[in-house]
Amino acid sequence: MSALNIKKGSSSHSAYDLRSALSEVEESHTLAVIVENEPGVLARVIGLFSGRGYNIDSLTVAEVDHTGHRSRITIVTRGTPAVIDQIEAQLSRMVPVHAVHDLTVEGPSVQRELALVKVRGKGEHRIEALRLAEIFRANVVDSTLESFVFEMTGTPEKIDAFVELMRPLGLVEIARTGVAALARGV
Amino acid sequence: MSKQMTGAKMVVQALKDQGVEVVFGYPGGAVLPIYDELFLQNDIRHILVRHEQGAVHMAEGYARSTGKPGVALVTSGPGATNAVTGLTDALMDSIPIVVLTGQVPTFMIGTDGFQEADTVGITRPCTKMNWLVKDTAKLSETIHQAFHVATHGRPGPVLIDIPKDVQFATAEYTPAEKAKVSHYQPRTEGDPAQIARLVELMEQAERPILYTGGGVINSGPRASQLLRELATETGFPVTSTLMGLGAYPASGKNWIGMLGMHGLYEANLAMHGCDLMINIGARFDDRITGRVKDFSPRSKKAHIDIDPSSINKVIHVDVPIVGDVTKVLEELLRQWRARGSRTDQRGLAKWWKQIDEWRAVKCLSYKPSSTTIKPQYALERLEALTKGMDRYICTEVGQHQMWAAQFLGFEEPNRWMTSGGLGTMGYGLPASIGVQIAHPDALVINVAGEASWLMNMQEMGTAMQFRAPVKQFILNNERLGMVRQWQELLHGERYSSSWSESLPDFVKLAEAFGCKGIKCDDPKDLDDAIMEMIRHDGPVIFDCLVEKHENCFPMIPSGKPHNEMLLSADAEAFRSGAVLV
């Protein structure tokens, strides 16, 4: 995206018309894939990525419509514009796939990830960890005399930043959900 | 009144409702209830194969020669794994087939039970869609849906895995018309605006070419008819991929021959030099494009394909048209006629003159011999002696396949069955049986190489048992010819494991199967021998001993562009260095 000087999510029109399909620059895209909630559908989607050599940076999946049997898979992937187009086309033609949305080009979107971060420390380190958690609006969900588990949601970048700050303060373990994303507005 | 029945009966009922007349299969523990139901009825004919791979290729041959989906029925575990090659073959060539597999009972799944395999897991990447049905109540609907998916959009193989207890259990049968209509409804109408753009380009083109593929055949006979109208009304030259042969007749005025790695000189140079390429139902396969960077560098390209993922996958095109070939060609012709469109006559005349100059190279010429049968000669004679007959041709994979594509002429679609995408040696013999079962009175010939043919030769037993009078025309060079050719041209003539040692005596083999064997090694006897094969009422194994070191030309070494084609005369001057795929 940066190579073409288009601000991410700045246009509500299809950005495919703006960028060169032949560009060799890799871009990160967030795809929302609405699928039939049936056995094997996730394996099918993941198999497409591994079988055709596409990247998965993050993947989340859960049922979002129980009566309609729909699940939403959110995939963050990387590739040249041609590869991203291929990924969308390949996903779209799968029988159990109902819709594919490229949230990166379809307009502004909200992207959030949840992380649980365990930090061990005493004294100054412990106080500093708590202070930083407050700045990042992370909640303490477990506490012992020498450890905390923080819960925070935010963009992946914000979680990265928080994790980096916790590292010297006694970071023990991290669990991240991967990105969930929705288009802004209706 | 609801109709209660067992899962096994449902399978047979659903197949009948789908109009299935023939099932190719092999029984085993996990499908015995279904075989029991097949035994109790007379509407569906069961063809007992000798190996499950054969069953799937037969279903493919049946499908490709009729346009209807082919059906195979195999057991769990090894039955299913043996079907994998056929499924992959059908996926690559977009052939609609429905494969039913037995599975261990639901309560045993995951316990490494006897003949258990994760069939849906194994076949997920090689089917268009597959299902494991764990509830009898959903079985009939799933089967109807499977037929819908296999035959709609870009056709392909589907698989239904049915545990044994699901076959025994009873539930209500859902008839086809009441089955939940699948949400799977791919777009078939092309965008009229894009078609209008193409019409404009066609009016301006000076060096146009119609590059057609298997999609024309898959779209049905009407598509071939429309293609012929388009070619006649525009005067544009027509070339085709291996998969599309027959959509436009080989005797047609605009036909310039097959393109691709072993395509004709004039076809490949026309692709390279054209200014407008109209891809109709082909997919820019690497055997067609050669080096992508240098593929047809000066042309505008339009691509008609029912599968959106085929468009811009390999070659970036200027006019993408997603839709079914029949519907798109209908709209294209409608617009062309409505606008009173004219082609650039002067440009076209010059283009055809150029093509005729390329044609004059006579790229298929070979050195004749009065003592040895040249494989090209054998096919020329086969063509001459069977032309005009109600003829279907299958092939195996290798040199003989390319020679068959070069030297046999196809006038109609669905008359040519060959493994294009996957390149499956062992495809032709079972495919020919599938074709013959569908067309009992036709002349069905499998042009084979001896090495490919041996891969599924057990199916001669099937041909005998079901009186399928298939003619196995084996061009026997006692070599893995195409491998040998590449080793000669690209691997310093080191013939690593590329000769057929310890071959059977094919005539004796034929006798062992109880069919007719013919051997011919003299060009003078060839015509009589071919006629003997055609006239024989029953399966024939024809052992045609041909020149052992003949190479197949023209050839575009992989990784080379179209204009760096090797003709037979250049072969000696060729130096290796191509990227080999």
Side-chain angles (χ1 to χ4, degrees), chain B residues 291 486-492 494 555-561 564 566 573-581:
Chain B
R291 192 195 297 159
W486 282 50
Q487 288 172 336
E488 180 189 328
L489 297 176
L490 306 158
H491 291 269
R494 289 177 296 279
M555 174 181 180
I556 305 173
S558 55
K560 295 278 185 185
E564 290 181 34
L566 288 179
F574 177 70
R575 280 167 306 171
S576 70
V579 184
L580 304 181
V581 183

Side-chain angles (χ1 to χ4, degrees), chain A residues 14-43:
Chain A
S14 169
Y16 290 116
D17 302 332
L18 303 175
R19 61 190 186 162
S20 163
L22 301 174
S23 164
E24 288 300 315
V25 182
E26 285 206 348
E27 304 166 353
S28 175
H29 283 240
T30 305
L31 308 178
V33 189
I34 313 301
V35 299
E36 191 79 16
N37 184 20
E38 61 185 19
V41 64
L42 183 62

Side-chain angles (χ1 to χ4, degrees), chain A residues 38-39 44 94-96, chain B residues 91 123-124 126-131 149 157-160:
Chain A
E38 61 185 19
R44 204 165 263 280
M94 286 186 152
V95 176
Chain B
L91 185 72
T123 60
R124 201 170 281 127
C126 62
T127 51
K128 187 173 168 187
M129 185 60 191
N130 63 13
W131 298 264
V149 169
V158 297
L159 180 142
I160 309 164

Side-chain angles (χ1 to χ4, degrees), chain B residues 191-211:
Chain B
D191 178 356
Q194 294 288 5
I195 295 174
R197 275 180 68 200
L198 174 56
V199 168
E200 268 177 49
L201 289 174
M202 285 164 64
E203 288 168 353
Q204 295 153 11
E206 292 175 15
R207 301 186 309 279
I209 188 164
L210 298 171
Y211 151 43

Side-chain angles (χ1 to χ4, degrees), chain A residues 21-22 36 38 40 43-44 86 89-90 93 95-98, chain B residues 124 127-130 149 154 183-184 307-309 311 313 316:
Chain A
L22 301 174
E36 191 79 16
E38 61 185 19
R44 204 165 263 280
Q86 249 312 285
Q90 293 285 353
R93 73 169 178 151
V95 176
V97 170
H98 289 270
Chain B
R124 201 170 281 127
T127 51
K128 187 173 168 187
M129 185 60 191
N130 63 13
V149 169
R154 180 176 176 175
H183 74 271
Y184 181 73
D307 179 359
S309 77
I311 289 170
K313 181 174 68 178
H316 183 75

